[in-house]
């Protein structure tokens, strides 16, 4: 049944989930800075509160009270709309994340496609931010972001198709259930690596943060943003990172599955935390590639690789089926 | 009942946004309305029981194709002058012909639709059913589309290729003396 118009108790999750995700993004800003400090042999934020934990609160107060400037030379409507699109599309995608066996807002036979759809709509936020700022750095950043995200979207979709073949469904709950015997990380290791790289590029985080590369483009597509609009763009980046981590866990590492001495939600949270920390480690250790290197890596290596992976997975599945 | 109401709301949004696509003077505004229209169409697909088509509508049309349109518009960096030119092109005089033709089509379409209720599906067509239909009944259409896309791919490759080879033949520094062609080819 495509429509179920009756009240479902899982809808009660929507508001706590959205608020929780935003607060978690705030916490993550502090956590990431601490980790980076640790890995790079320096202190990181440690002044405000115990271990600098209140740094996140201080940052929030600063963002909320900062002058929210609208560039008079830009496109006002798009300028205001852009951060809302970025953050909104990312929050929407959280709807399909299964945190536990019965702990998700919605699951359908197109759940995975819904995630891809939302991450492809997020491009508009970045693109419009660059376009409406009417500033050459922002414009270049927006162009880079659009090219990068469209490119990496292509094989982000292709890389998860191997998982879909194994599970026989686009539903994330079915995909997790299909991993009871063996995590898809094992047969789909190529798909996993490609999905990880594509997820990194989709959330345009370091080392793939070329749209906002500060040494060449000031702050790229969000050069003109200040105050809470900048805060939303920043939050969306962290939301995207958490979302990608959650999907990596769901698709390749068995989601909430784990030995029964811990509840499923805890397993899910632990695995996701490990992947998030891995993303931070990548940021700390890998230098930024050049823009043309990023694009040729995408089109010349990752795209053929994901097609071959899909073909091989399909051939094996077909051979084993009869 | 609720699906039907939602369907009509989505349809109204789609038509309204499509009208705005045509009448906006600023190309980037028009494209954003096009995205809104496509999203409304995706909602309609979903309500008609085609969730897979709805998802692909968003992923491919809204998420990839219109992004590239917008990308090109950004590259061209159209300024106020383009808006002025668009305003001149959108004079009422230019509307009359297309308006009459569209009105005829509209009347025909209403004649075809009246009497047939909107078929809001009770059961959705899942991705698996779509895949089976595509690769069994409609295999020929899929293959033809693949050939068309291959032709487009080869064309794009060719255009990009010529551009690159032209660049390579350019003199490496301005003011450098160019060799006559026969000498350069030898």
């Amino acid at each position: 049944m495509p429509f179920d118009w009756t009240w479902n108790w899982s809808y009660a999750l929507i508001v706590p989930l959205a608020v929780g995700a935003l607060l978690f993004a705030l916490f993550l800003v502090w956590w990431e800075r601490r980790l980076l400090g640790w890995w790079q042999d320096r202190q990181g934020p440690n002044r405000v509160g115990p271990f600098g934990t209140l740094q996140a609160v201080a940052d929030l107060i600063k963002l909320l009270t900062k002058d929210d400037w609208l560039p008079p030379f830009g496109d006002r409507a798009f300028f205001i709309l852009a951060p809302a699109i970025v953050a909104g599309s990312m929050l929407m995608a959280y709807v399909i994340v299964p945190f536990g066996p019965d702990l998700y807002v919605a699951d359908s036979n197109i759940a995975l496609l819904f995630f891809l759809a939302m991450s492809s709509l997020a491009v508009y936020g970045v693109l419009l931010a660059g376009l409406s700022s009417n500033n050459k750095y922002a414009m270049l950043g927006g162009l880079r972001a659009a090219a990068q995200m469209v490119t990496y979207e292509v094989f982000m979709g292709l890389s998860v198709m191997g998982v879909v073949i194994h599970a026989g469904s686009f539903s994330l709950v079915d995909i997790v259930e299909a991993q009871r015997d063996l995590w898809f990380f094992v047969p789909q290791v190529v798909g996993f690596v490609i999905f990880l790289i594509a997820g990194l590029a989709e959330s345009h985080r370091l080392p793939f943060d070329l749209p906002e590369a500060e040494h060449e483009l000031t702050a790229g597509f969000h050069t003109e943003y200040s105050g809470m609009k900048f805060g939303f763009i920043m939050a969306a980046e962290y939301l995207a990172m958490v979302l990608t981590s959650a999907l990596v866990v769901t698709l390749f590492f068995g989601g909430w599955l784990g030995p029964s001495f811990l509840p499923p939600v805890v397993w899910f949270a632990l695995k996701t935390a490990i992947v998030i920390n891995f993303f931070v480690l990548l940021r700390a250790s890998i230098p930024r590639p050049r823009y043309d290197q990023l694009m040729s890596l995408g089109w010349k290596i990752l795209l053929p690789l994901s097609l071959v992976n899909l073909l091989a997975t399909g051939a094996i599945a077909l051979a084993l089926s009869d | 009942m609720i699906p039907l109401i939602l369907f009509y709301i989505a349809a109204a949004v789609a038509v309204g946004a499509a009208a705005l696509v045509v009448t906006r003077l600023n190309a980037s505004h028009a494209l954003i309305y096009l995205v809104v229209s496509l999203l409304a169409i995706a909602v309609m697909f979903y309500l008609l029981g085609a969730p897979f088509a709805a998802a692909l509508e968003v992923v491919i049309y809204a998420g990839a194709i219109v992004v590239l349109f917008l990308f090109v518009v950004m590259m061209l960096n159209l300024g106020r002058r383009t808006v002025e030119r668009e305003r001149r092109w959108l004079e009422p005089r230019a509307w009359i012909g297309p308006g009459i033709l569209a009105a005829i089509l509209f009347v025909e379409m209403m004649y075809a639709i009246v009497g047939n209720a909107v078929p809001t599906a009770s059961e959705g067509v899942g991705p698996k059913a779509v895949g089976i239909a595509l690769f069994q009944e409609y295999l020929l259409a899929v293959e033809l589309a693949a050939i068309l896309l291959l032709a487009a791919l080869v064309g794009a490759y060719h255009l990009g290729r010529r551009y690159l080879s032209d660049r390579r033949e350019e003199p490496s520094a301005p003011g450098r003396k160019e060799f006559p062609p026969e000498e350069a080819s030898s």
Side-chain angles (χ1 to χ4, degrees):
Chain A
M1 277 291 285
F3 338 107
D4 185 13
W5 301 106
T6 51
W7 169 258
N8 187 334
W9 274 108
S10 64
Y11 300 156
L13 261 174
I14 294 174
V15 174
L17 184 61
V19 175
L22 284 170
L23 287 178
F24 188 63
L26 194 66
F27 160 78
L28 215 56
V29 177
W30 167 77
W31 177 249
E32 178 174 36
R33 287 171 68 188
R34 282 300 286 199
L35 273 186
L36 285 176
W38 183 48
W39 279 322
Q40 294 171 349
D41 206 10
R42 55 190 174 81
Q43 290 293 329
N46 65 348
R47 296 288 126 172
V48 198
F51 301 105
T53 38
L54 294 178
Q55 182 68 45
V57 181
D59 285 347
L60 182 69
I61 292 170
K62 187 199 87 174
L63 282 176
L64 282 172
T65 53
K66 215 172 166 181
D67 183 20
D68 200 356
W69 185 68
L70 284 172
F73 44 79
D75 192 324
R76 223 181 133 84
F78 281 178
F79 192 81
I80 297 170
L81 200 62
I85 295 176
V86 186
S89 57
M90 277 301 140
L91 277 176
M92 291 264 282
Y94 276 84
V95 160
I96 47 105
V97 177
F99 298 94
D102 290 311
L103 201 62
Y104 49 83
V105 178
D107 184 59
S108 74
N109 53 0
I110 55 158
L112 193 52
L113 288 171
F114 184 80
F115 159 70
L116 292 174
M118 286 306 125
S119 77
S120 60
L121 284 186
V123 184
Y124 282 106
V126 181
L127 201 55
L128 288 183
L131 181 72
S132 64
S133 297
N134 202 5
N135 162 323
K136 51 181 171 292
Y137 294 121
M139 175 77 89
L140 281 172
L143 285 177
R144 280 186 182 187
Q148 173 178 331
M149 287 169 88
V150 168
T151 304
Y152 279 75
E153 219 170 76
V154 172
F155 45 83
M156 182 184 232
L158 283 174
S159 66
V160 296
M161 287 310 139
V163 170
V164 174
I165 290 177
H166 281 292
S169 172
F170 282 107
S171 149
L172 290 177
V173 175
D174 290 353
I175 286 174
V176 173
E177 286 296 339
Q179 298 180 69
R180 275 204 185 278
D181 302 322
L182 184 66
W183 288 356
F184 286 152
F185 167 68
V186 180
Q188 282 297 316
V189 65
V190 180
F192 162 70
V193 172
I194 296 171
F195 185 80
L196 200 70
I197 296 174
L200 208 59
E202 277 286 297
S203 52
H204 43 84
R205 279 180 48 81
L206 265 152
F208 292 157
D209 70 334
L210 290 146
E212 47 195 288
E214 62 263 21
H215 63 275
E216 44 193 294
L217 293 181
T218 333
F221 66 89
H222 57 66
T223 306
E224 300 291 349
Y225 280 88
S226 63
M228 211 44 216
K229 291 198 192 68
F230 168 74
F232 258 102
I233 291 176
M234 194 73 180
E237 193 181 310
Y238 283 90
L239 287 177
M241 180 172 75
V242 176
L243 184 69
T244 312
S245 311
L247 275 159
V248 165
V249 168
T250 308
L251 294 171
F252 298 100
F253 292 101
W256 69 77
L257 297 175
S260 60
F261 59 86
L262 283 177
V265 186
V266 177
W267 277 116
F268 182 82
L270 279 177
K271 290 176 188 173
T272 309
I274 291 171
V275 181
I276 290 173
N277 288 340
F278 181 68
F279 273 122
V280 179
L281 180 62
L282 283 180
R283 172 177 183 166
S285 51
I286 300 181
R288 198 184 272 140
R290 229 170 45 217
Y291 183 63
D292 61 316
Q293 290 171 335
L294 178 75
M295 295 306 270
S296 54
L297 170 76
W299 288 114
K300 291 180 185 164
I301 300 171
L302 294 178
L303 179 66
L305 206 60
S306 57
L307 282 172
V308 168
N309 178 45
L310 178 59
L311 207 65
T313 312
I316 292 168
L318 200 65
L320 291 181
S321 70
D322 33 58
Chain B
M1 196 60 211
I2 299 172
L4 203 64
I5 294 169
L6 287 177
F7 178 87
Y8 280 118
I9 293 172
V13 171
V15 171
L20 286 168
V21 173
V22 185
T23 52
R24 286 310 87 186
L25 301 174
N26 188 324
S28 51
H29 290 194
L31 283 172
I32 293 305
Y33 279 115
L34 183 57
V35 175
V36 173
S37 180
L38 288 169
L39 292 181
I41 291 171
V43 172
M44 283 155 71
F45 274 139
Y46 189 83
L47 290 170
L48 290 174
F52 190 66
L56 287 190
E57 180 88 12
V58 180
V59 173
I60 294 170
Y61 286 94
I65 295 177
V66 183
V67 170
L68 294 180
F69 285 8
L70 199 58
F71 189 85
V72 172
V73 168
M74 270 176 88
M75 293 270 260
L76 296 176
N77 199 6
L78 306 168
R80 292 232 165 73
R81 273 176 49 215
T82 332
V83 174
E84 278 306 311
R85 199 182 60 200
E86 283 287 326
R87 182 167 290 134
R88 268 187 280 115
W89 284 352
L90 275 179
E91 277 176 351
R93 201 153 45 89
W95 282 102
I96 296 170
I100 292 171
L101 291 176
I104 294 170
L105 279 180
F106 182 72
V107 170
E108 278 188 2
M109 194 182 70
M110 288 318 269
Y111 181 72
I113 288 177
V114 166
N116 297 331
V118 178
T120 43
S122 57
E123 199 146 329
V125 183
K128 203 171 263 180
V130 175
I132 290 170
L134 273 182
F135 285 96
Q136 281 181 353
E137 286 173 57
Y138 300 104
L139 185 61
L140 186 67
V142 172
E143 294 290 342
L144 286 174
I147 292 171
L148 192 66
L149 286 174
L150 183 67
L153 190 69
V154 171
Y157 178 75
H158 176 71
L159 289 174
R161 184 94 186 147
R162 200 175 60 186
Y163 168 69
L164 281 179
S165 61
D166 279 354
R167 280 282 294 272
R168 243 178 256 126
E169 281 162 20
E170 272 174 19
S172 56
R176 200 176 134 190
K177 199 191 164 203
E178 276 193 57
F179 293 106
E182 59 269 21
E183 229 177 289
S185 62
S186 61

